[in-house]
Amino acid sequence: MRSLAIHVILYAAGFGALAKVLPWAAFAPVAIVVSLVHLYLTEWAKRRRYNAAVDEARTSQIEGFPKLPAVGSRAMDELVLESLKELSAELEKKCCQMVEKNIQLLSLKEISATIISSLDESRIVDSVHSFLGRGLGFKEVFVGIFTPDTDRIHIYTLREAFAGESLYLERVVPFQDLEGLMRKVVVTRRSVLINDAGLHPMGDVNGSPLFAESTMSSYLIVPMAKSKLSKECWTKPDCLLKSPSKSAPEKLDEENALCPACGRVPVLGIMGMTDGFKAAAVSQLDLLAVEALAVQISTLLENSQLYNELKRSEGFRDNVINSMMNGLITADTDGIVLLANQAAERLSGYTSEELRGSRIEYLIAGRSGADNSPVERTIREHKNAVQEEAWLIKKDGRKLPILLNTSLLVDEDKRVQGVLGMFLDITRIKRMEQTIRQLDKLAALGRFSSSMAHEIRNPLAGIVAGIEYLKRARAIPANQKDNISFILREVNRIDRLISDILNAVRTGDLVYQPVEMESLIKSSITGIKDLAKKNKVKIILKSPGDTRPVMLDADRITQVMINLLKNAVEASTPGGEVHVEVSFPGEESDVLFDDTENLVIIVVKDDGVGFSEEEKSGIFEPFFTTKDEGTGLGLYVSHSIIEQHGGYILVDSEKGKGSVFTVYLPLEKVEHGESTKVSHTLGR
C-alpha cells in the first residue's frame, strides 16, 4: 500500500507539471509513454529478483527442492505460491529426518553409556546389533572381531527378515580365508559404501555368503582401527599403524595385510550393514553414523582386550602366589593384614576374608611372645628378619612353629608402604629334631643298659649257682627254704628284665613275613580282651578293609600293639573307649611325611589321664613309667621294635585329655641300617 501511495503521488506531481507546460494534444501521448516505460521497468525489476531467488534455491543443498522454470509475470505469483508450498513440505520432511537423526544420536549415546560400563565382548556385540538394527532400522547387520594373537576373526551376524523372526549366527574365520571387500577393508583400513552389491560382492565366509538369500542392493563396511599405543610394534619404523589409512596399500596380499613389524592384523575388527529387507538404501549419512560408532567400539574393544590381559596377568600372579608351598602375608605400616595366600590360610586355619583387616601381631608372634613379633619389628625398625623362628597363632589358639623372612614393601619413591612376610611350617623339622634327640638319647641309654645288663647278669649267674649248690648239698635249714625260693624268684625276675633290655637293643633278628594288618590288630585286641572287660573299657577298631599284605615281624609288632593297647586300657577310666584305626593313606600328606603312599599307619587313641610335657619328653626312655607297678620298658621296647622295622612312633598327649600314639610302618621290608624316608620342606 505504501508503494502504491508513493507511485500515485509521483504520477500526480509529474503529470501536473507536464499539464502546465505542454498543450493537451502533446500531454496525452507523453503521459502514455511515461506510464508504459514505468510499468516495464517495474516488471523487469520484479523478474530479476525472482530469477535471482530461483538461482539461489537451485544451488542450495536442500534435496528434493522443486525445479522452478523461468516464467512470465502472469504465472509468477501462482508459481511462487506453489513453490513455497513444496518448499514448506520439504522443510517439514527434513525436520522429521533431523529429529530421526537426533533420536539415533541419542540411541548411540545411550548405547555408548551402556557398553562403556562393561568390557564384555559379547555385550559390546549385542549393543552394536541393537544400534544398527533398532537405532538405524537396518535388518541385516554384522560385527567381526579379531582375536588377539591368533589372526582369526569372529563374525557375528544378525538378520531380522520378518516380523518377530531373527537369525543370529557366529562364525570363526582365519584371516587368510577372508574374501572380497571385507578383506579389502581390513587391508586398506578404509570404509566402503557400495550402491551395487551385485557388481561389488561383499565376500563369502567359509564358502557361503554372509547373508544367504539377501535382498540387498547396497551395503557398507567400516573398519575398527587400532590406536597407535595398542601395540608394542608402534616403536618400530615399519609398523603399519604409523601409516595413515589414506596411504594404505591397495594390493591385497599377505604382506600388505599384516603388519611387517609384528606380523598381526592392524585392525580390531569390522562392522557393517546392508539394505536387505529394507526400503531405503544405505546413504552417506548412515556411513557417517557407523563410522562414529566404530570409533567408540574400537576404544571399547581395546579396553576390553587390555582388561582381559590384565585379568590374565592378575590371575597368573594370584596362581603363582597361591601355588607357593610357603605362607605369604602382606601388611600395611599399621600392621593391618592386606593379603594372604592359600598356604597362609591353610596353616593358620583362617579364611582370606578373616585374615584381611586383622592385626599382624595377633597372627605372628616372636618366640618370646606376641610383643616381640618379627613383622612388627620390621615395620618399626625397617630391618628385615632373615630365617627367624617365630610362632604362627592358629585360629584355634594353637601355636605353629614357623621359619620367617620379612622384607619392606616400598613404592617408586622408596617410601615404605608395608611389609611382606614369608614363612615356612617347621613342625616336621621340630618333630624330626625331637625324634633325632630322642634316638640319640635312646641309643646312649641302650648301649649303657646293654653294658649294665651283661655286668649284672654275671653276678646273678653266680648267685643262682651258689643257691643251687646249697640246695643240692642240703645245707639250707628248713625254716630258710621259703626265703631261698623267694631269692630265686627275684633273681629270675631280674634275669627276665635283663633279657628284655637285651632284646630291646638287639637288632638284625627280625623274621619278616607278609601279614594282614587287620587280622594282626584283631589278634592283639583279643589278647587283652579280659583286661579291657575287667576295667570296663570298650575297644573300637576302624579298618578300611584293605587286605594288602605288609612285610613285618608279626610276633614283634603284636608285642608292640599289645603293649600300646594295654597302656591305653589301663590309662582309661571305667566306661571309657579306646579307638584303634588302621589306614593306607596313599599319596596324602601327613604331619611327618609328605608322601605316605608306601606306609601303613596305626593310631591308638584313649581318653585317659594323658601325659604332661615333661612326661612326654621321657616316655620312650627305659625304666620310665607312670604306673605304680610298671617296669618302664614297654614303650622303650616298642620304640626299638618299630625303629628296627624302619618305622616311627609318635605320641600326642595332653594332661587330662588322653593320648594318641601313631605308628608308621613301611609296607615293604627295610634292610638293616635303612629307614623310611621322612620328607620335609627343607629338603625341597
Side-chain angles (χ1 to χ4, degrees), residues 384-610:
N384 297 338
V386 180
Q387 298 291 305
E388 183 173 339
E389 292 190 8
W391 293 111
L392 177 67
I393 304 174
K394 297 172 67 68
K395 186 176 181 179
D396 56 11
R398 291 185 298 163
K399 292 183 178 180
L400 193 72
I402 59 174
L403 197 63
L404 177 69
N405 291 283
T406 63
S407 61
L408 292 171
L409 296 175
V410 297
D411 59 15
E412 59 274 8
D413 296 326
K414 305 299 181 182
R415 291 176 298 187
V416 176
Q417 300 295 312
V419 63
L420 180 144
M422 187 178 299
F423 53 89
L424 169 71
D425 178 14
I426 57 174
T427 302
R428 296 172 181 171
I429 300 174
K430 290 298 181 182
R431 283 184 179 266
M432 286 303 302
E433 290 175 351
Q434 181 181 0
T435 302
I436 292 171
R437 288 194 298 269
Q438 186 73 16
L439 290 175
D440 291 340
K441 186 186 297 184
L442 292 178
L445 288 172
R447 290 190 296 270
F448 174 76
S449 300
S450 177
S451 176
M452 290 300 296
H454 283 288
E455 294 298 327
I456 294 173
R457 177 166 278 184
N458 291 332
L460 282 179
I463 294 173
V464 172
I467 292 175
E468 290 293 337
Y469 174 77
L470 292 175
K471 288 176 65 177
R472 287 195 300 271
R474 298 179 179 179
I476 301 174
N479 58 354
Q480 295 296 326
K481 287 184 179 181
D482 292 338
N483 293 330
I484 294 299
S485 298
F486 173 77
I487 292 173
L488 286 175
R489 287 197 302 272
E490 291 301 312
V491 168
N492 289 332
R493 191 170 73 87
I494 293 174
D495 187 63
R496 286 196 302 274
L497 290 174
I498 293 172
S499 298
D500 288 340
I501 294 174
L502 293 176
N503 289 333
V505 299
R506 185 181 299 123
T507 59
D509 56 351
L510 298 178
V511 180
Y512 281 94
Q513 58 183 330
V515 177
E516 185 181 331
M517 285 306 302
E518 186 174 351
S519 298
L520 186 145
I521 301 297
K522 288 181 178 179
S523 175
S524 302
I525 293 174
T526 302
I528 62 162
K529 182 171 59 175
D530 293 338
L531 178 63
K533 184 177 181 181
K534 177 183 176 182
N535 289 8
K536 299 180 181 180
V537 175
K538 184 178 181 181
I539 301 177
I540 301 173
L541 172 63
K542 180 181 178 182
S543 176
D546 196 327
T547 59
R548 77 179 79 177
V550 181
M551 294 299 296
L552 47 78
D553 189 322
D555 292 338
R556 293 296 185 92
I557 298 301
T558 300
Q559 179 183 352
V560 172
M561 293 309 305
I562 289 176
N563 191 12
L564 294 177
L565 291 169
K566 179 175 177 292
N567 289 343
V569 169
E570 291 176 345
S572 300
T573 57
E577 294 180 347
V578 173
H579 293 265
V580 184
E581 181 178 354
V582 182
S583 62
F584 298 86
E587 298 181 356
E588 299 175 6
S589 179
D590 183 78
V591 73
L592 187 62
F593 297 88
D594 280 341
D595 185 1
T596 56
E597 182 179 6
N598 298 315
L599 295 174
V600 57
I601 300 177
I602 307 150
V603 179
V604 179
K605 180 180 179 181
D606 65 68
D607 54 3
V609 296

Side-chain angles (χ1 to χ4, degrees), residues 106-401:
L106 290 175
S107 300
L108 178 60
K109 180 180 178 181
E110 181 180 352
I111 290 173
S112 300
T114 301
I115 61 180
I116 202 168
S117 61
S118 172
L119 295 175
D120 185 7
E121 184 176 293
S122 61
R123 188 172 179 182
I124 294 175
V125 171
D126 292 340
S127 299
V128 173
H129 283 161
S130 177
F131 174 73
L132 297 180
R134 298 185 181 91
L136 298 181
F138 288 88
K139 304 300 182 182
E140 294 179 342
V141 299
F142 70 92
V143 180
I145 299 177
F146 280 100
T147 304
D149 303 326
T150 64
D151 292 336
R152 289 177 174 269
I153 184 170
H154 291 252
I155 300 180
Y156 307 88
T157 59
L158 178 66
R159 168 188 282 176
E160 296 182 4
F162 306 101
E165 180 181 347
S166 299
L167 180 62
Y168 183 86
L169 293 176
E170 177 183 354
R171 284 171 278 191
V172 181
V173 185
F175 172 73
Q176 57 268 24
D177 295 341
L178 202 61
E179 300 177 353
L181 286 178
M182 288 189 292
R183 181 182 179 88
K184 181 176 181 179
V185 168
V186 174
V187 173
T188 62
R189 291 170 286 140
R190 287 185 291 184
S191 305
V192 296
L193 193 159
I194 302 300
N195 292 317
D196 190 345
L199 184 62
H200 302 284
M202 183 182 296
D204 293 341
V205 175
N206 292 333
S208 60
L210 192 62
F211 296 103
E213 300 179 358
S214 175
T215 63
M216 77 172 84
S217 61
S218 62
Y219 64 89
L220 63 83
I221 306 175
V222 175
M224 292 182 284
K226 296 180 180 179
S227 69
K228 296 179 179 179
L229 300 178
S230 63
K231 286 294 180 184
E232 295 179 358
C233 72
W234 168 249
T235 59
K236 301 179 181 179
D238 54 349
C239 176
L240 274 184
L241 295 179
K242 289 185 176 182
S243 303
S245 59
K246 293 182 179 179
S247 62
E250 293 287 347
K251 187 179 179 181
L252 303 182
D253 55 21
E254 195 69 18
E255 288 74 20
N256 288 331
L258 301 179
C259 177
C262 63
R264 294 173 180 169
V265 180
V267 296
L268 295 166
I270 55 177
M271 67 170 66
M273 56 191 183
T274 78
D275 63 352
F277 303 98
K278 185 176 182 292
V282 179
S283 67
Q284 190 71 25
L285 291 176
D286 296 323
L287 178 61
L288 294 176
V290 176
E291 286 180 337
L293 178 64
V295 172
Q296 296 193 40
I297 298 301
S298 298
T299 303
L300 294 174
L301 284 176
E302 282 191 313
N303 290 341
S304 175
Q305 293 176 2
L306 291 174
Y307 177 72
N308 290 331
E309 290 178 5
L310 180 61
K311 281 180 61 178
R312 285 193 294 269
S313 299
E314 289 180 348
F316 178 77
R317 180 202 64 191
D318 293 341
N319 187 38
V320 169
I321 292 175
N322 288 322
S323 298
M324 295 172 58
M325 295 297 296
N326 298 341
L328 183 143
I329 287 181
T330 61
D332 60 18
T333 53
D334 295 326
I336 304 300
V337 175
L338 302 176
L339 180 143
N341 68 350
Q342 291 181 359
E345 296 178 32
R346 184 183 68 253
L347 293 173
S348 66
Y350 292 99
T351 63
S352 58
E353 290 77 13
E354 292 172 332
L355 286 172
R356 283 195 297 268
S358 62
R359 295 202 61 84
I360 192 68
E361 66 265 23
Y362 298 148
L363 186 66
I364 297 178
R367 299 292 288 184
S368 58
D371 295 336
N372 191 29
S373 172
V375 182
E376 280 287 313
R377 189 172 67 250
T378 299
I379 298 175
R380 185 174 59 252
E381 301 177 3
H382 291 185
K383 184 178 180 181
N384 297 338
V386 180
Q387 298 291 305
E388 183 173 339
E389 292 190 8
W391 293 111
L392 177 67
I393 304 174
K394 297 172 67 68
K395 186 176 181 179
D396 56 11
R398 291 185 298 163
K399 292 183 178 180
L400 193 72

